[in-house]
Amino acid sequence: MGLMRSLKRNILAPVFVSTPGAQSSPIMPGGTTPGTPSSKQKEKSSVIRSKVVVALYNYKAIEPGDLSLEKNAEYEVIDDSQEHWWKVRDAQGNIGFIPSNYVKEKELLGLQQYDWYVNDMSRQRSESLLKQEDKEGCFVVRNSSTKGLYTLSLYTKNPHPHVKHYHIKQNSKGEYYLSEKHCCASIPDLINYHRHNSGGLASRLKASPCDRSVPATAGLSHDKWEIDPQELMLLEELGSGQFGVVRRGKWRGSIDVAVKMMKEGTMSEDDFIEEAKVMTKLQHTNLVQLYGVCSKNRPIFIVTEYMRHGSLLNYLRRHEQSLVSNQGLLLDMCIQVCKGMAYLERHNYIHRDLAARNCLVGSENTVKVADFGLARYVLDDQYTSSGGSKFPIKWAPPEVLNYTRFSSKSDIWAYGVLMWEVFTCGKMPYGRLKNAEVVERVQKGLILERPKNCYKEVYDIMRKCWSPVPENRPSFRVLKEQLISVAQGLLVD
Ligand code: AMP
């Protein structure tokens, strides 16, 4: 295995070798030096330079034409013209497609090669992850909410089980430290030091959480959205909604999926099947991944990523007791939904039915937006017309109620209502008011009241979403920045 690795390293050796001067180059957090090639090297690199990536996760090729990935091994990129599936060559010369979100360019790898680095995970999510693991000295390093800084989150049982958060600081020489007495040239060196010496920390660093979730791929394989129902094992029922029953499933016996079995006559199927090809290409950590459809038989199946804790609405209601006192976690849930929606907005994609019932909760308290764009294919008048009994009136802004005018700005209004649902732990907006009464209130400019215990700063953001003039509502991109800055101001990072 060790020999294999070094063989691979040789074959895929990076083009920029270190020069004698490289020692004095600034050291990146990951312990690598940024490339400063000489003109001779530049010349050489223009001839032989190819993109080399490193696998962040294992991946098992399933379809012919795909290639398996081995975590930490290197691959040469042959074709990255498609966003989500790249053609690469492994050290043995095998060529095939791999999911592009499973690899990272070697030169940009930084801390991502380490199991203890969890990227943008929030303080609240790191706490739940470490508490779930429940091991003394278990730790992660994450990006601090202040850009460019890192935080170490460490679980200790002394004097009682809790998580401590330490900012990783840098001195004037650019060295990293947790306690000023022990400075190291890079963050990995610092972590190694504290594996052996607690050096002022609550515990020595021991392990990082195992069992981290692996991201979904855009489709189950390269260019695949039609799924053979024979390859789906259908398991227990997860719930049922507008379109029919949803069941957990296994694809080819190994990949967890959710299977929505579309009640016949509820949607315009041909249009949806066409659209599904586009939808499988939408990929973001905070969007429920559409893997594909089984469209050859009836009822058609929609196959998506499986989210173990089900709908956000039920999750909020089930965990009200513990959530109500954890405003940080509630805000983090809102930020996650906002990130998913900012991605849709960037791709000019309108959700049309954003609400807590249409978001799902997965492991590590991840929240993802589901069912985006599906509303366009519903055939039921009661759902599609603003006068219908199933129309989501309570999430609709005036321009939708009056002219059925959907836009990213109508999604923003619905997002404000979703924030309200989150901060009330799943209460029904406008209580028992009938739809007609809600419409009357909204037309008069009356808005939902501030949820009990909700910070004023958070409520101010909801109010911005409920501006009667769509243009005056912020974009999801701006909203995301504002929410992150509120989180920084209100909570210790
Ligand atoms: P829907 O038809 O999308 O409203 O789904 C009905 C219910 O099925 C939801 O409220 C969830 O409890 C469950 N469900 C739907 N999709 C998933 C999924 N991808 N993973 C887990 N549970 C799901």
Side-chain angles (χ1 to χ4, degrees), residues 21-65:
Q23 256 120 344
S24 58
S25 307
I27 294 171
M28 308 271 272
T32 53
T33 47
T36 45
S38 67
S39 58
K40 222 179 197 175
Q41 280 173 322
K42 269 186 200 154
E43 226 171 73
K44 201 171 149 198
S45 70
S46 67
V47 183
I48 56 164
R49 187 168 192 245
S50 58
K51 185 152 89 178
V52 174
V53 292
V54 177
L56 302 173
Y57 313 94
N58 290 323
Y59 171 73
K60 195 167 171 293
I62 304 177
E63 291 284 323

Side-chain angles (χ1 to χ4, degrees), residues 331 419 423 454-462 486 490:
L331 189 52
M419 280 184 74
F423 278 89
C454 169
Y455 292 119
K456 180 182 169 299
E457 290 83 347
V458 173
Y459 186 55
D460 285 345
I461 292 189
M462 291 183 206
V486 168
L490 295 179

Side-chain angles (χ1 to χ4, degrees), residues 24 43 49 58 136 139 162 203 234 245 293 304 327 360 386 399 413 418 438 443 449-450 457:
S24 58
E43 226 171 73
R49 187 168 192 245
N58 290 323
E136 179 69 21
F139 73 99
H162 68 296
S203 154
L234 293 174
V245 171
V293 290
T304 68
Q327 299 266 309
L360 293 163
S386 62
E399 75 275 12
W413 178 290
L418 178 144
V438 174
Q443 305 286 26
E449 77 283 10
R450 168 148 70 122
E457 290 83 347

Side-chain angles (χ1 to χ4, degrees), residues 238-242 244 246 258 260 288 304-307 310-311 360 371:
L238 296 170
S240 64
Q242 169 75 22
V246 182
K260 211 175 252 197
V288 174
T304 68
E305 178 181 1
Y306 167 66
M307 301 288 286
S311 95
L360 293 163
D371 290 343

